[in-house]
Amino acid sequence: MTFSIVARAVDPGTGEPTWGVAVASKFLAVGSAVPAAVAGVGAIATQAEANVAYKGLALAHLDEGATAAVALERLLEEDERRDHRQVGIVDVDGNAVSHTGSSCFDWAGGRTGDGYAIQGNILTGPEVVEAMEAAWLASSPDEPLQHRLLAALAAGDEAGGDSRGRQSAALLVVREEAGYGGNDDIAADLRVDDHAAPITELKRLLDLSDFYLTASTEAEKVPVTPELEAELETYAAAQGASGFLAWVATENYEMRVAEDLAWIDRRILDIVRTPK
């Protein structure tokens, strides 16, 4: 009762691999059931009559060195209800597999290619996975994986999506040390559990995640001169803060301002300078 894309991408500039899953469904909190991923291991989506045990089992097989195909084979051979399952897996090297059991409700099917597995069931038709694949292949490798996955998910939704309607969507992306402060591997972990337009809402949340939870690029950094520092401190005082860095912490902008106030993100500077 779901459509999803599981993928691995490599940053062309740094060579760093990233794994992720994007999923949508007419089902409450689909993100709690379908996606799982571990950096340096792989990613999986389990759906239709979802066997949530597949997530831990598949990742364990992959972590032990199994390819995506071998991991899938092991999952299915141990499952008496394999014909009711749908699953997509991408391993550490980007090998991808997708399984649609013969008892999954129509329309059900999937497509795979280098680094991606796309699958869905109870869809309006094959055009959904076809649109998702086309959007994935058209996306730029220079884009963050979370944006490429979301674009593919949106394309599937626009092509018809779940034939029963919309309710929830989720996005999970992992890369080594990609998390907050570099202390975990979660590049994005966003869920819309119950919403009339879940993919639109997921896009909004991803924009917020990019702003609050990712570090400023060099191009976004504005050096703080003594004159600018005085301006910032005056602004903070007007907001009732003990200092500008205290205001930054209160507003959760610490990923966008240097700890020593050597630079400030241009978007934070715009906030400071925009009259309320």
Side-chain angles (χ1 to χ4, degrees):
M1 298 175 284
T2 303
F3 55 103
S4 67
I5 175 170
V6 185
R8 171 189 182 268
V10 177
D11 186 299
T14 65
E16 291 184 285
T18 308
W19 296 261
V21 183
V23 56
S25 182
K26 179 65 169 67
F27 182 87
L28 180 68
V30 70
S32 68
V34 171
V38 173
V41 175
I44 176 175
T46 175
Q47 54 199 58
E49 188 179 304
N51 184 341
V52 295
Y54 274 11
K55 295 187 286 186
L57 291 170
L59 291 169
H61 293 320
L62 296 176
D63 194 35
E64 292 168 358
T67 63
V70 170
L72 177 62
E73 181 181 358
R74 291 176 181 172
L75 294 178
L76 298 179
E77 68 185 8
E78 299 169 358
D79 189 348
E80 294 180 354
R81 294 190 63 77
R82 65 183 70 88
D83 289 345
H84 297 264
R85 315 295 193 197
Q86 189 172 55
V87 57
I89 302 174
V90 173
D91 64 27
V92 66
D93 296 316
N95 302 303
V97 291
S98 183
H99 163 78
T100 299
S102 58
S103 296
C104 291
F105 295 139
D106 286 336
W107 187 90
R111 302 173 79 94
T112 61
D114 184 18
Y116 67 90
I118 298 169
Q119 46 282 315
N121 61 94
I122 315 187
L123 304 183
T124 57
E127 65 275 3
V128 176
V129 294
E130 291 167 0
M132 293 175 71
E133 182 178 47
W136 169 258
L137 295 175
S139 64
S140 170
D142 293 322
E143 289 184 86
L145 179 59
Q146 49 266 42
H147 290 273
R148 299 178 67 191
L149 292 174
L150 191 50
L153 196 69
D157 185 60
E158 291 168 4
D162 189 322
S163 62
R164 301 162 307 155
R166 303 175 176 90
Q167 186 169 9
S168 66
L171 181 65
L172 174 62
V173 175
V174 297
R175 186 180 68 254
E176 291 185 0
E177 300 182 353
Y180 185 76
N183 293 317
D184 68 20
D185 298 333
I186 306 299
D189 185 4
L190 302 170
R191 298 179 182 181
V192 177
D193 288 344
D194 186 27
H195 198 280
I199 296 177
T200 299
E201 177 64 3
L202 193 60
K203 288 180 179 179
R204 186 185 73 84
L205 294 179
L206 182 56
D207 287 342
L208 290 175
S209 178
D210 286 344
F211 181 63
Y212 283 102
L213 302 178
T214 63
S216 301
T217 65
E218 291 303 316
E220 293 171 327
K221 296 177 181 179
V222 177
V224 175
T225 63
E227 293 77 14
L228 178 53
E229 182 175 359
E231 177 186 349
L232 298 176
E233 295 297 345
T234 298
Y235 174 83
Q239 306 308 308
S242 60
F244 185 72
L245 290 178
W247 175 80
V248 167
T250 300
E251 297 296 323
N252 301 317
Y253 294 148
E254 55 268 29
M255 297 289 284
R256 296 282 168 181
V257 178
E259 291 183 0
D260 60 358
L261 201 52
W263 55 265
I264 180 173
D265 189 287
R266 56 178 172 78
R267 284 178 287 183
I268 305 302
L269 186 57
D270 286 343
I271 291 171
V272 169
R273 290 176 169 173
T274 299
K276 293 184 178 180

